[in-house]
Amino acid sequence: MSTPAAPNSRVLIVAFQGWSDAGDATTEVLQHLAGLLDAEVLHEISAEGYVDFQVHRPKVLFDETGKRMLEWPDTRLFGPVQRPGASSDSSAAHRVADGETVRRIDGSPVRDLFLLAGVEPARDWQNFADEIVELADVWAIDLVIILGSMFSDAPHTRPIVTTVTSEYEARRDASGAVRSTYEGPAGISTVIDLALAEAGIETISLWAQVPHYVHSTPSPKASLALLDKLEELLDIVIPRGDLLVQANEWEANINRIADADEDMSRYIRRLEESRDEELAAETTGDAIALEFEKFLKGGPRFARDIEVPQSGSERAAAHEPQAEHEPQADPDPRADAEPRLDSPDSDSSKDGDGNGAPDAPRS
C-alpha cells in the first residue's frame, strides 16, 4: 500500500495526446478531472514552433458573438481560479454540494490540483520541456504526475495493469514506485520527466497497459485504472461519473464480438492464461519492461484489430479502424484534434501510441 502525497502539496497532472495515449486513456482522465474541478486556464504554451499542424490541425469555430475564429492545438495549464475576488460559478458550487468534485478523505474539496493537457510536439522537445519546467516553478508545483498508456498483449477481461516509476528515492519509498531501468526510444513524457528531475522538481510516472487488439476505440477501463491509482497516490476521492458504465459496456461489447469469432476467442484465452501465470509468479519489473519492448518493436499481434461499438457514448463515432500499429508509422489522420480539456463538448479523436518509461511491478 503506497503512502499518499502530503495533503498541502500542489500537484500537477500531465498528459499528452499521441505516442503516450494508447486508447485515449490518459487524456480521458484529464478530461474527466477537468469536469469535476473548478478550474480555469492559467497559461498556454503556443503550438507554433512545436506542433505539426498537418497532424494536429487548428479548428475553425464561432465565438459567442458569431465571429469566426481559429482554435490552435496549444498546451494548456488548468488550475484553481486565480482572479482576485472571484468565486466558483454556480455549476461548480452545485458539484461541490452534490459531492461531484474531487475531495480529500475528510470531505473537503481539493483546491491545489493542476492539469496540463496538450499534444505531443513534433519538434524542439528540449525547449518545450524547459517551458513546462518553468511553469512548474512559477506555480510552485511540489509534485508532477505524468500519465501514460501503452498497447500491450493484455487481455481485456483482466484488471488493467498500472506501473509507477520515479527518479526520487523518497517518492519511491512513499508510493511503492521503482526507478525505471528502461533504455530505448522515448516520448515527450520521458523528456519532460527527466527535465523536471534535473530541475529538482519531484515526479512520478503512472502508466497503464491497454489491450492492443481493440486500439481503435477509447479504453474507459484503462482510464478507470489510472484514476484508481491517482486516488491512492494522492489520498483523494475522485467520482467516476459514467466511466464505470462505459467500462462495463466496453468489456461486454468486446465479449460479444469475441464470442462470434473463434480465432479471436482462442487468442484472448491465450492472453488470459499468460496473464494469470504472470500474476501467480508475481510478475517482476523486468517482465513489464519486456512487455514494453515488445510494444515498441511491434511485437506479436492478433491478425486484426477490432472496433468496439460504444453503446451510450458518442465518442466512439469519431474513431475509425486504423492500420496495424507501429511507433514509426505515418501519423494517424484522426489526430487532427487538439486537446479537448477546454472544450468538453467537442468530439475529437486522438491517435494512440505508447511511450517509454514503464518497467515497474504491477500495482
Side-chain angles (χ1 to χ4, degrees), residues 287-298:
I288 300 297
L290 179 61
E291 188 78 49
F292 181 70
E293 289 176 10
K294 286 195 297 182
F295 156 74
L296 285 177
K297 295 173 182 176

Side-chain angles (χ1 to χ4, degrees), residues 17 31 47 51-63 67-74 76 119 318 333-350:
Q17 294 179 25
Q31 189 73 24
V51 175
D52 183 347
F53 295 133
Q54 289 184 321
V55 177
H56 300 281
R57 296 180 183 273
K59 293 197 322 189
V60 179
L61 303 173
F62 289 96
D63 65 15
K67 179 182 177 182
R68 294 182 62 183
M69 58 174 288
L70 285 172
E71 183 178 78
W72 297 91
D74 298 329
R76 297 178 176 90
V119 300
R334 296 178 292 116
D336 288 349
E338 62 274 6
R340 296 160 43 217
L341 219 67
D342 57 326
S343 52
D345 293 330
S346 64
D347 186 13
S348 58
S349 55
K350 303 179 277 289

Side-chain angles (χ1 to χ4, degrees), residues 33 162 180 215-216 255 350:
L33 290 173
T162 57
S180 176
H215 77 268
S216 59
N255 288 338
K350 303 179 277 289

Side-chain angles (χ1 to χ4, degrees), residues 72 112 122-123 143 148 154 185 192 215 233 239 246 330 338 343 357-358 363:
W72 297 91
D112 47 15
R123 58 186 69 87
L143 173 66
I192 292 170
H215 77 268
L233 290 170
Q246 293 170 13
D330 291 335
E338 62 274 6
S343 52
S363 61

